Every structure is written in structure tokens, then in C-alpha cells.
Amino acid sequence: MHHVLRRLDLNLLPVFDAVYRHRSVRLAAVELSMSTSALSHALTRLREFLKDPLFYREGHKMCPSVYAEELAPHIAQSLCALNQRLSPVKPFDPLNSSESFRIAVTDYTAFCVFPALMGEIEKMAPNIQFELCHLPNNPALNELLAGEVDLALGFSEPDDASHQDLDEVELFNDEFIVIGSSRRQSLTLDEYLAAGHLVVTPWNEKKGLLDTHLGHLGLERRIVLKTPSMLSSPHIIAKSDLLMAIPSYVAGQIAAMADVNSFKLPFYAPPFTVKIYSHKRSGKKSSTDWLKGVISRSIKDQIISESRVINA
């Protein structure tokens, strides 16, 4: 592999590039901080290796050969790419950055994170942009590994395995509760199983997360309606006898949107943890690390603020 490069002194490539751009041995030598004799010697070595004159003198200019004209754009592009990749990474400057972040979310994770986050972002990084896209699976593993998204906002249960190539930042723990229309005043396990259910399936899965836990108990619920979006669901619940399991973090806001009552889940299901997922070898690591920190702080401040209101 790389049988040509193993035999070539790669220091000769910047020499070629400088002579091609300046059409001058003297000016190329000045740019590369070399003597003209040293640069001429380097150019001779490259000519011998490539078996082509590369440049010939015409008046005061070094004119490229046909082969040099063919090589020049490829060498210039390769040197530029290597220089950018090998340069020390500059610290991310949020105040002056206009970077765009593509983040995979569900209705729930976007609802949890972005209301508080955007107030912070407007002050700290007024020119950065976000593109929120549908989370095709949890935790958008393939999209993160392929670099199609910068971050993913998902969640995991205690027994879920971590992926070796992903970094995870835990934001907060949550659990499911049940909402039903205001006509319902209580909820037993028998009533839960007898009712019809609306299930939000953000990844178009056949069943919801709670159906797995019911299955472990040898139980099954009757799913009447599946939807990928949480937005219309509370209003459907308010005007029907259906039940819906919903994370407790958004229960208060949901109750303010529709005429529903909340109930404790009538069987055990483990809590889950909302997380930020990112690729360990992200090309935007400096900026995504900064953003993960801002998200974590905004969530923590929001939880502290809500706790003070409850305890007041």
C-alpha cells in the first residue's frame, strides 16, 4: 500500500507547489525559507523521481510541463487538506461563531431541552444555528457514526448497553406516568389493561417501550392508536376514553394544554435517563463539547428552578 509514497520524500511536494504558483525558483525559496541552491537541488531530485522535467525556463519564468500541469491541482488540494487537518484545533469561540449544528431529536427530547437552551444560546452565541431532525432510532447510532448529525438527544434504560464509539452525557432521570380524560378519577391495573391506549412511537416501532415491561409480567395492553408525534396526543386523550403513558417531565405542560388527569403507572417500569449522544471522533469536537456543556447547565438550572417553585 502507498508503494509510491514510501519511496518519495514528501518534503518535495511543497517545493513543487511553490515553484508552480510563483513560476520562480527564487520566490519559491523565499516562501519556504530555503536557499535557491537547496530548492534547485530539491527540484532536481523530484524531476529524477518522476522522470519528467516538470519546469523549464522561459525568460524569467519557470513554465510547467504538461505533466506538471496535470499534477499541480492534485498536489495543491492534498497539501491544503493535510495542512487543515494537521493544524492545531483553535478553541471554539461561541460569541463570534456562525456554526450550524444538526441534532437528532424526538418531540419529547426537543421539548425537554430547547425551550431553556435557546434563551442561553441567544446571549452566548447569537449567530449559531440549529437544524433539528427526526431521530430515526435510539440513539441515532448510524447517523452519528456516519457524521450525518452532530448530536443526538435520546434516552436509555438502566440495562441498555453503551456503544464503544459514542460519548454519552446524562441530563436527567425520568419515568412514565399515565394521562386520561378528566372524566377518569382513578386507575387500577385492571382498568389500565381494559382501556384502549394511544402510544407515541417516535421510531415507528410496532409497540411502545412499556409493552416490553408488560410482556415481562405476562400482560398485554390494547393499542388503539399509534402516532410518531406527541403534539396532538393530549387533545385526543381529553376527548376520548383512551389512556396514554407520558414522561413525567412534560406532564405539567401537557396538563395545561388539555383537560386531562394524571395517574401513577399501575405496574413497575424502570426509570430512564435522557442523554446527549455524540461520536467520540467528531470532526466538530471543540464546538460540540461546548454545546453539550451549555445543554447540561441549562437543564440543571431548569430543574433547580422548578424545584424551588414546588418547595416555595
Side-chain angles (χ1 to χ4, degrees):
M1 191 174 181
H2 307 309
H3 61 282
V4 174
L5 295 180
R6 288 205 305 269
R7 296 184 289 112
L8 173 65
D9 181 356
L10 297 181
N11 289 313
L12 300 178
L13 298 183
V15 170
F16 173 93
D17 181 64
V19 174
Y20 180 84
R21 285 185 287 105
H22 291 291
R23 301 294 201 268
S24 166
V25 169
R26 183 182 64 82
L27 293 177
V30 171
E31 178 183 305
L32 298 175
S33 300
M34 300 171 66
S35 66
T36 54
S37 61
L39 190 138
S40 294
H41 178 67
L43 191 56
T44 297
R45 290 171 56 203
L46 189 58
R47 284 167 166 157
E48 291 173 351
F49 181 83
L50 296 176
K51 296 181 172 43
D52 188 271
L54 297 180
F55 300 95
Y56 58 92
R57 188 172 296 281
E58 188 176 278
H60 296 293
K61 288 186 177 182
M62 297 293 287
C63 297
S65 69
V66 173
Y67 183 46
E69 286 283 11
E70 293 174 352
L71 277 179
H74 301 289
I75 290 178
Q77 184 179 16
S78 298
L79 290 174
C80 181
L82 281 172
N83 189 59
Q84 289 178 349
R85 291 296 180 183
L86 297 176
S87 297
V89 178
K90 294 181 181 179
F92 178 65
D93 179 8
L95 191 61
N96 296 304
S97 174
S98 57
E99 193 163 328
S100 178
F101 295 93
R102 195 162 192 261
I103 303 178
V105 297
T106 64
D107 281 357
Y108 165 61
T109 55
F111 190 91
C112 292
V113 169
F114 273 88
L117 176 65
M118 292 311 297
E120 295 294 320
I121 291 296
E122 287 175 343
K123 293 179 288 186
M124 301 173 64
N127 297 315
I128 71 169
Q129 304 164 44
F130 295 98
E131 179 186 354
L132 304 186
C133 55
H134 172 63
L135 185 66
N137 51 68
N138 194 26
L141 174 63
N142 294 334
E143 290 73 19
L144 284 166
L145 296 180
E148 294 176 5
V149 296
D150 301 307
L151 298 174
L153 298 176
F155 56 85
S156 68
E157 293 191 310
D159 294 333
D160 289 349
S162 298
H163 194 281
Q164 61 182 2
D165 290 324
L166 296 184
D167 279 326
E168 301 178 5
V169 176
E170 296 186 0
L171 292 178
F172 61 93
N173 294 324
D174 203 353
E175 61 183 0
F176 283 105
I177 64 168
V178 182
I179 60 171
S181 76
S182 59
R183 299 183 297 278
R184 186 182 292 275
Q185 300 300 311
S186 64
L187 184 64
T188 65
L189 178 58
D190 288 341
E191 290 170 336
Y192 181 87
L193 297 175
H197 293 263
L198 182 155
V199 178
V200 176
T201 53
W203 309 295
N204 295 318
E205 59 268 43
K206 292 183 179 180
K207 293 185 177 181
L209 184 62
L210 290 179
D211 293 291
T212 301
H213 300 301
L214 282 169
H216 292 157
L217 299 172
L219 303 173
E220 186 177 2
R221 62 180 174 175
R222 182 168 59 91
I223 298 175
V224 174
L225 176 60
K226 291 195 301 180
T227 174
S229 173
M230 192 181 293
L231 183 61
S232 62
S233 303
H235 302 286
I236 296 173
I237 296 299
K239 297 183 180 299
S240 70
D241 291 327
L242 297 178
L243 297 176
M244 174 185 173
I246 191 169
S248 65
Y249 191 88
V250 298
Q253 290 91 332
I254 291 297
M257 292 169 54
D259 188 16
V260 297
N261 287 338
S262 300
F263 307 95
K264 183 178 179 181
L265 195 68
F267 60 93
Y268 175 75
F272 55 89
T273 303
V274 177
K275 297 180 178 181
I276 311 171
Y277 296 90
S278 60
H279 197 301
K280 289 182 178 179
R281 295 184 297 278
S282 169
K284 297 163 65 172
K285 188 165 178 57
S286 176
S287 55
T288 53
D289 281 350
W290 170 83
L291 181 56
K292 287 189 288 186
V294 177
I295 293 173
S296 297
R297 290 193 299 274
S298 69
I299 286 291
K300 185 180 296 184
D301 291 345
Q302 184 174 344
I303 291 174
I304 291 173
S305 176
E306 291 175 355
S307 174
R308 286 173 178 165
V309 171
I310 292 172
N311 294 326

